[in-house]
Amino acid sequence: MSKSLKRVMGAIGAAGLDLQPVEMPESTRTAAEAAAAVGCALDQIVKSIVFQGQDSGRIHLFLTAGGNQVDPDKASALAGEALGRADAGVVRDRTGFAIGGVAPVGHLTPCPVHLDPRLCDFATVWAAAGTPRHVFAIAPDDLLRLTGATLAPFTRG
Ligand code: 5CA
């Protein structure tokens, strides 16, 4: 098992949840690929989008429904500082995951987490498990508890 996958499953187990990762035969690097592999709605895929404070350098994680986009102004208002998208190197250094496999939990450095209310429209959603081929299913309420996320709108439209 990869170190990244192990870290994600460790965090899930430590929270008292009994969830299993699913290894897909094809890439789940993008939300569209993950939805196709799982056979679920695009919005049931949890995108883990990392933004960074332009002054502080601190990162924030936005758990976003697959078909939604983070609105940088709304995201900045929630964070209380101007945010821009974190580059791939920052994402890897802070989370320990490469883009395409960033999980909602198991980050090397914990950071504030925000959850898109759209994800709560489903009984189950699917998130990356630390690799571009592993995903896991979770109830949105459990995802909220697991990540300590704040539920607030931050998407475009
Ligand atoms: N495994 C899938 C679904 S669970 C996944 O990780 N999707 S994702 O949306 O969370 O990750 C891909 C996202 O990474 C893209 O939507 C894009 O927002 C972001 N991304 C892709 N390339 C870069 C890059 N070079 N720098 C920063 N962010 C990037």
Side-chain angles (χ1 to χ4, degrees), residues 52-122:
Q52 185 174 29
Q54 283 168 0
D55 293 328
S56 72
R58 288 199 200 103
I59 64 162
H60 285 253
L61 178 65
F62 291 88
L63 302 179
T64 310
N68 280 345
Q69 308 296 327
V70 177
D71 179 322
D73 291 336
K74 292 179 188 169
S76 299
L78 283 180
E81 65 170 322
L83 298 181
R85 189 168 278 239
D87 71 32
V90 168
V91 172
R92 185 178 252 302
D93 287 350
R94 305 286 180 90
T95 70
F97 303 118
I99 296 271
V102 179
V105 287
H107 292 205
L108 296 178
T109 320
C111 73
V113 184
H114 310 272
L115 189 127
D116 179 357
R118 171 65 175 139
L119 292 168
C120 298
D121 290 342
F122 302 97

Side-chain angles (χ1 to χ4, degrees), residues 28-37 40-43 45-47 64-67 100:
T28 58
R29 195 174 303 254
T30 67
E33 286 176 347
C40 70
L42 182 59
D43 275 353
I45 300 298
V46 181
K47 298 192 289 192
T64 310

